[in-house]
């Protein structure tokens, strides 16, 4: 198969990328692919071995200022690119150290009761309808309400965050990107000033005041971290919940098993993350130097991404990877990445996923898919894997 002839961001590809991966992965574990912008060579890791190697290799860097010093400077770097997800050591370690104390397991577990309250509220709001768009009615509101409350964003501003977030990750329509980015930045500037003047019990107030070894976040770093938390903190969880439900609805024996034994929910979330996770591809990496990798000659400046979805269906690591099995032993899936850039919000996403699915099945045990699989449309993104809508019949 000629990989460069396949449009990785077409609707045809997104309908079922796993068949494509199954054909490519055994023959080309690490290969050049077709991208929207072919200014740089783009390599993609398809096997678990290649994916793990890329995610851990320090020669693949995240900071575009290092990769392209003549083109990218502090002045023209987008705000989110200043966050810990897009920088390398030692900056990465410094930023992660400052932020991670806000995401300790103990702090996240304290949110359990509130997340369940939110899930129950959203479930109740659907009760007057027989059929709903599950994403709009349930999968989106829960994570956005949680992350906004955690960060300290007023509830009346949450719909604006949905619009900004969608514009920032939609690869097929960048007409609203600049506008959304400017509005987002303007809003954050005012919000941060409010929190400086009157700190509250929220993450923004905490990040403004946090100090580690005498170090604090700069204003631009604070913008970057907050934007990352809002976009990544709800986009991925929305798709975890929606993709997870779709997988269960299309595998009724597994859905029946989960309803019969709700104690399997944590285990089920791990399998749903592996089977049809919320993140299709890793964020961008760039070759810091020229070298041979997985038998291929990578040149300095080459673009490198990882197909997390393909790696998580690698039969060399996962037995019967195309089978959804919520009783599967806890796996080393890559849905949250690996290495130093492992997702800081993974515990929160897992908790939200568990509660959202469990509450949904308690409130609507007979819900079914209200559309044919072929009718579902997937969002076009360089990173996320998520549906535009998911019609479900509740009763």
């Amino acid at each position: 198969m000629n990989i460069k002839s396949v449009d990785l961001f077409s609707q045809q590809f997104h309908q079922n990328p796993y068949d494509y991966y199954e054909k490519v992965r055994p023959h080309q574990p690490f290969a050049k692919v077709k991208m929207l912008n072919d200014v740089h060579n783009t390599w993609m890791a398809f096997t678990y071995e290649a994916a793990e190697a890329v995610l851990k290799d320090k020669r693949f860097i995240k900071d575009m200022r290092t990769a392209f010093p003549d083109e990218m400077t502090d002045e023209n770097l987008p705000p989110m690119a200043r966050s810990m997800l897009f920088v390398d050591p030692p900056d990465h370690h410094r930023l992660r150290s400052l932020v991670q104390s806000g995401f300790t397991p103990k702090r996240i577990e304290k949110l359990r009761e509130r997340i369940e309250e939110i899930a129950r509220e959203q479930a109740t709001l659907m009760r007057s309808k027989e059929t709903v768009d599950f994403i709009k009615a349930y999968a989106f509101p829960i994570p956005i309400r949680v992350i906004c409350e955690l960060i300290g964003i007023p509830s009346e501003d949450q719909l604006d965050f949905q619009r900004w977030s969608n514009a920032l990750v939609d690869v097929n329509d960048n007409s609203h990107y600049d506008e959304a980015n400017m509005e987002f930045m303007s809003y954050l500037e005012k919000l941060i000033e409010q929190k400086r003047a009157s700190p509250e019990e929220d993450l923004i107030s905490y990040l403004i005041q946090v100090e580690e070894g005498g170090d604090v976040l700069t204003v631009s770093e604070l913008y970057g971290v907050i934007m990352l938390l809002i976009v990544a903190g709800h986009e991925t969880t929305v798709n975890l919940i929606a993709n997870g439900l779709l997988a269960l609805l299309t595998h009724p024996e597994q859905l029946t098993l989960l309803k019969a034994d709700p104690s399997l929910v944590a285990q089920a979330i791990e399998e749903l993350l592996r089977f049809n996770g919320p993140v299709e591809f890793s964020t961008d990496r760039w070759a810091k130097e020229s070298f041979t990798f997985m038998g291929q000659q990578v040149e300095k400046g080459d673009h490198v991404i990882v197909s997390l979805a393909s790696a998580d269906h690698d039969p060399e690591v996962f037995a019967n990877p195309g089978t959804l099995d919520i009783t599967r032993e806890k796996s080393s899936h890559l849905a949250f990445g690996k290495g130093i850039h492992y997702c800081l919000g993974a515990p929160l996403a897992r908790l939200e996923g568990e509660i959202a699915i469990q509450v949904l099945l308690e409130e609507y045990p007979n819900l079914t898919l209200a559309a044919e699989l072929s009718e579902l449309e997937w969002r076009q993104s360089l990173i996320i894997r998520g549906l535009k809508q998911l019609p479900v019949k509740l009763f």
Side-chain angles (χ1 to χ4, degrees):
M1 177 181 285
N2 181 2
I3 296 177
K4 289 185 74 69
S5 69
V6 177
D7 184 354
L8 297 174
F9 308 102
S10 68
Q11 192 59 221
Q12 182 181 6
F13 169 78
H14 276 294
Q15 283 292 342
N16 188 0
Y18 301 104
D19 282 351
Y20 166 77
Y21 292 142
E22 190 175 348
K23 295 173 184 175
V24 171
R25 190 172 46 237
H27 309 291
Q28 303 190 71
F30 183 74
K32 287 183 181 179
V33 295
K34 174 185 176 182
M35 295 292 285
L36 296 176
N37 184 346
D38 280 331
V39 174
H40 305 279
N41 285 329
T42 295
W43 298 87
M44 183 177 289
F46 290 96
T47 64
Y48 189 97
E49 179 186 12
E52 189 175 40
V54 169
L55 295 174
K56 290 184 173 183
D57 198 314
K58 295 179 181 178
R59 294 171 296 182
F60 294 126
I61 58 176
K62 302 294 290 289
D63 197 326
M64 294 186 70
R65 292 168 297 184
T66 304
F68 308 105
D70 296 332
E71 302 171 35
M72 301 301 299
T73 64
D74 286 340
E75 289 71 32
N76 62 14
L77 197 69
M80 201 174 352
R82 303 171 192 271
S83 71
M84 58 195 168
L85 183 60
F86 299 100
V87 297
D88 306 300
D91 287 341
H92 173 269
H93 177 73
R94 181 180 70 82
L95 291 174
R96 193 171 179 108
S97 295
L98 286 166
V99 176
Q100 67 183 0
S101 53
F103 284 87
T104 61
K106 184 177 180 181
R107 183 184 288 260
I108 297 303
E109 184 59 30
K110 286 182 178 179
L111 299 173
R112 178 180 291 275
E113 185 176 335
R114 179 56 185 148
I115 295 172
E116 183 169 347
E117 287 178 1
I118 291 172
R120 298 281 179 195
E121 288 171 10
Q122 294 303 142
T124 300
L125 289 173
M126 297 191 292
R127 197 161 294 284
S128 62
K129 302 176 182 179
E130 182 178 353
T131 302
V132 299
D133 172 9
F134 176 74
I135 294 175
K136 183 178 180 180
Y138 192 80
F140 169 77
I142 294 172
I144 196 65
R145 289 179 64 184
V146 171
I147 198 66
C148 283
E149 287 188 12
L150 179 65
I151 291 176
I153 290 166
S155 58
E156 60 267 23
D157 297 332
Q158 291 174 10
L159 289 180
D160 284 330
F161 277 89
Q162 178 186 19
R163 179 168 54 83
W164 294 332
S165 179
N166 285 342
L168 292 173
V169 300
D170 191 340
V171 70
N172 272 9
D173 181 9
N174 59 11
S175 59
H176 300 295
Y177 180 92
D178 290 339
E179 179 185 0
N181 193 49
M182 289 179 63
E183 289 180 9
F184 206 165
M185 288 295 293
S186 177
Y187 178 88
L188 287 180
E189 184 177 2
K190 295 174 184 175
L191 186 64
I192 289 170
E193 286 308 309
Q194 290 174 9
K195 300 294 184 181
R196 284 191 194 280
S198 303
E200 299 178 34
E201 293 294 321
D202 57 59
L203 197 55
I204 291 181
S205 299
Y206 171 80
L207 291 173
I208 290 170
Q209 301 173 64
V210 70
E211 184 173 351
E212 182 78 20
D215 193 16
V216 296
L217 291 169
T218 67
V219 173
S220 60
E221 288 169 346
L222 186 59
Y223 285 156
V225 168
I226 295 170
M227 290 182 77
L228 174 65
L229 293 175
I230 292 169
V231 175
H234 96 268
E235 280 285 354
T236 53
T237 311
V238 170
N239 298 317
L240 163 58
I241 297 169
N243 293 2
L245 178 63
L246 177 63
L248 290 170
L249 290 177
T250 52
H251 294 80
E253 76 288 348
Q254 296 297 300
L255 179 58
T256 299
L257 182 59
L258 182 56
K259 287 191 289 189
D261 186 0
S263 69
L264 288 171
V265 67
Q267 205 168 340
I269 290 298
E270 295 305 310
E271 175 67 348
L272 295 171
L273 282 163
R274 182 203 68 81
F275 184 77
N276 195 18
V279 182
E280 180 92 16
F281 307 114
S282 69
T283 47
D284 300 328
R285 284 169 170 77
W286 311 90
K288 185 178 181 180
E289 59 195 65
S290 298
F291 60 99
T292 301
F293 183 82
M294 302 292 293
Q296 303 289 343
Q297 181 58 35
V298 176
E299 301 298 334
K300 181 179 180 180
D302 279 0
H303 181 214
V304 182
I305 52 180
V306 169
S307 173
L308 302 172
S310 178
D312 282 343
H313 277 243
D314 189 339
E316 294 296 318
V317 179
F318 306 99
N320 302 313
T323 300
L324 180 70
D325 179 7
I326 64 170
T327 65
R328 189 185 294 267
E329 293 287 328
K330 186 174 181 180
S331 64
S332 54
H333 64 72
L334 301 179
F336 292 119
K338 197 150 192 174
I340 64 171
H341 291 285
Y342 182 82
C343 178
L344 189 65
L348 178 59
R350 283 185 166 105
L351 182 61
E352 289 181 84
E354 289 175 23
I355 292 172
I357 294 294
Q358 190 161 15
V359 168
L360 180 71
L361 297 183
E362 289 174 3
E363 299 284 345
Y364 301 100
N366 298 316
L367 87 168
T368 56
L369 188 61
E372 297 295 326
L373 273 176
S374 60
E375 297 173 344
L376 300 178
E377 189 175 356
W378 293 87
R379 293 174 61 188
Q380 306 300 288
S381 172
L382 289 168
I383 301 175
I384 66 168
R385 175 162 176 76
L387 291 162
K388 290 186 177 181
Q389 295 179 320
L390 180 57
V392 297
K393 188 175 181 181
L394 299 173
F395 305 101

